[in-house]
Amino acid sequence: MKKFIAIVGSNSKKSTNRQLLQFIQKHFENEADIELVEIKGLPIYKKSPEKTVPEYAKEVAKKIEAADGVIIGTPEYDHSIPAVLTSALAWLSYGQHPFVDKPVMITGASYGSLGSSRAQAQLRQILDSPEIKARIMPSSEFLLGHSLDAFDENGNLKDQEQVVQLDGLFQDFLNFVDISAQLNSSTEANKQDAADFNWEDNK
């Protein structure tokens, strides 16, 4: 059984993105071991002369390294991902590079009708950056709109068409992880490139 890390891209106590990832965790429990990871315990990203990385960021990085893949649930604030998720990804690419060639599936829930579509597009760009170099599953958006009304009292998605869509995307992700595992010839070189990259030298 594959091991996935599901990152809650919000620090809200009542995040519908957390609800979505909890549903995914339960709904696919017979197909993958999915561990939810919170980022609300991370401080706001700030470089230091000593290049100090918070211990919790190191713990999350180790979980990602050991996992077969990562699922990220992002809200959308002002057409972008929340600052807390930007900060977390910065910590997870500062002196450590667990996302390099790691298969990633992106999901998102929002109160409006668009289901975090713009935030997901931005998140793809960030994950494709030289310091992160994740392997994002193509054509795989799962957009949960009107998320406040999307779940029943048991935390299940009400709309069966959305469940069917999610079932298909998750099966595709399982296949994507298998394919990605075979594309590892340049992974060590990619990790070194990510470690060596410096924006100040690339202006």
Side-chain angles (χ1 to χ4, degrees):
M1 183 178 289
K2 290 181 173 60
K3 169 71 176 180
F4 295 151
I5 296 299
I7 296 176
V8 180
S10 170
N11 57 1
S12 171
K13 292 181 179 179
K14 296 183 178 180
S15 169
T16 53
N17 280 278
R18 184 181 295 107
Q19 280 185 280
L20 175 57
L21 293 177
Q22 287 171 337
F23 172 75
I24 290 173
Q25 181 185 46
K26 181 175 69 171
H27 188 65
F28 298 111
E29 62 184 354
N30 293 325
E31 298 175 71
D33 176 9
I34 302 174
E35 177 184 354
L36 261 64
V37 169
E38 301 282 352
I39 59 173
K40 58 186 178 181
L42 286 170
I44 294 298
Y45 174 74
K46 183 180 180 181
K47 288 184 178 181
S48 66
E50 302 81 15
K51 293 190 175 180
T52 304
V53 178
E55 286 301 316
Y56 185 56
K58 293 178 183 178
E59 291 176 21
V60 174
K62 288 179 181 177
K63 290 177 183 289
I64 294 170
E65 283 275 12
D68 296 301
V70 178
I71 304 168
I72 302 178
T74 181
E76 182 170 312
Y77 300 156
D78 298 326
H79 291 182
S80 63
I81 66 173
V84 66
L85 181 53
T86 301
S87 178
L89 292 172
W91 280 127
L92 293 169
S93 57
Y94 182 57
Q96 52 185 3
H97 304 278
F99 277 107
V100 172
D101 288 350
K102 186 69 62 174
V104 176
M105 174 180 171
I106 300 174
T107 67
S110 73
Y111 297 169
S113 59
L114 296 178
S116 80
S117 60
R118 293 181 178 90
Q120 290 195 35
Q122 184 193 42
L123 182 54
R124 284 179 176 274
Q125 289 182 313
I126 294 170
L127 291 171
D128 197 37
S129 65
E131 312 98 307
I132 298 182
K133 288 182 177 289
R135 188 170 280 155
I136 311 106
M137 186 168 76
S139 304
S140 61
E141 287 183 327
F142 183 75
L143 309 171
L144 182 63
H146 305 292
S147 57
L148 285 175
D149 301 316
F151 301 93
D152 64 22
E153 63 275 8
N154 296 315
N156 297 314
L157 283 174
K158 295 178 185 178
D159 189 332
Q160 287 306 300
E161 288 186 7
Q162 290 179 324
V163 175
V164 169
Q165 181 190 12
L166 186 57
D167 285 344
L169 286 172
F170 194 79
Q171 291 304 315
D172 285 346
F173 187 53
L174 292 174
N175 292 331
F176 181 67
V177 170
D178 285 337
I179 293 169
S180 294
Q182 301 174 47
L183 305 176
N184 58 8
S185 299
S186 61
T187 296
E188 290 305 316
N190 288 338
K191 287 183 178 180
Q192 190 61 53
D193 284 347
D196 292 343
F197 188 83
N198 186 333
W199 282 107
E200 294 178 1
D201 295 334
N202 289 273
K203 290 182 178 180

